[in-house]
Amino acid sequence: MATDNMVPTISTPHLCVKGRVCQTDNKDVTYYMGSSGEFKLEAVDKSYVTAMLKSEYSPTDLVIKYDATPKFSGSAETDVVWQQVIRIRGNGNYAPSITCHEMGHAVGLLHGGSAYLALPSEDSRLGCMIAHGYSGDLGSNDVSNINGTY
């Protein structure tokens, strides 16, 4: 493993609070894709998310499950909600590399500068967790961190 970029690290020991990268509560990761209203994901974006989860996260120790009736609070809260929001613009912009990167944050992965030992933000060993110009795959370092945690 190149680095520990699974929150918390020695370099980034923060607690899980709103606005910070956190881990999901267990290896069972539920997700929902906005299906109506102004936050609806277009079909092309849904296909990007589905394909990325299948190719990058399903082979890890995580158990990825679609939640057709998402919960937004409580102990059974849906882990990841994909919607049209400012952070990722839809209509084809949910590229596999961006969805891989954002899903990585949802399960606790950090950028290289927050890892221990810190790596440059563009270090290829970070896979899709590089800070810019995202790679298309999760990478063995991130898989090791996920499997070691979950």
Side-chain angles (χ1 to χ4, degrees):
M1 186 164 59
T3 189
D4 175 11
N5 65 325
M6 179 65 75
V7 68
T9 68
I10 292 172
S11 303
T12 309
H14 67 253
L15 299 174
C16 182
V17 294
K18 187 175 180 174
R20 293 200 172 170
V21 175
C22 299
Q23 291 179 1
T24 57
D25 57 347
N26 58 50
K27 71 177 185 165
D28 297 314
V29 178
T30 56
Y31 73 100
Y32 171 75
M33 292 185 276
S35 59
S36 64
E38 67 180 306
F39 300 118
K40 177 182 178 179
L41 255 64
E42 285 87 0
V44 65
D45 296 319
K46 285 184 177 184
S47 68
Y48 282 149
V49 170
T50 301
M52 179 279 304
L53 290 173
K54 182 178 180 180
S55 67
E56 300 301 323
Y57 287 88
S58 289
T60 70
D61 287 347
L62 296 171
V63 178
I64 308 294
K65 298 177 185 175
Y66 186 73
D67 184 354
T69 55
K71 293 106 186 132
F72 297 100
S73 64
S75 61
E77 184 175 15
T78 303
D79 294 304
V80 181
V81 177
W82 299 96
Q83 298 186 122
Q84 297 290 26
V85 292
I86 295 169
R87 187 156 193 155
I88 301 177
R89 290 171 174 75
N91 199 18
N93 288 309
Y94 268 60
S97 55
I98 294 172
T99 55
C100 179
H101 182 93
E102 296 305 329
M103 183 68 178
H105 286 314
V107 299
L109 294 172
L110 299 164
H111 297 148
S114 299
Y116 182 78
L117 300 166
L119 293 175
S121 295
E122 306 303 324
D123 191 302
S124 63
R125 294 174 292 180
L126 294 169
C128 67
M129 294 311 297
I130 63 174
H132 306 295
Y134 307 116
S135 162
D137 65 1
L138 196 53
S140 62
N141 185 77
D142 296 329
V143 170
S144 293
N145 279 306
I146 288 170
N147 292 346
T149 300
Y150 295 100

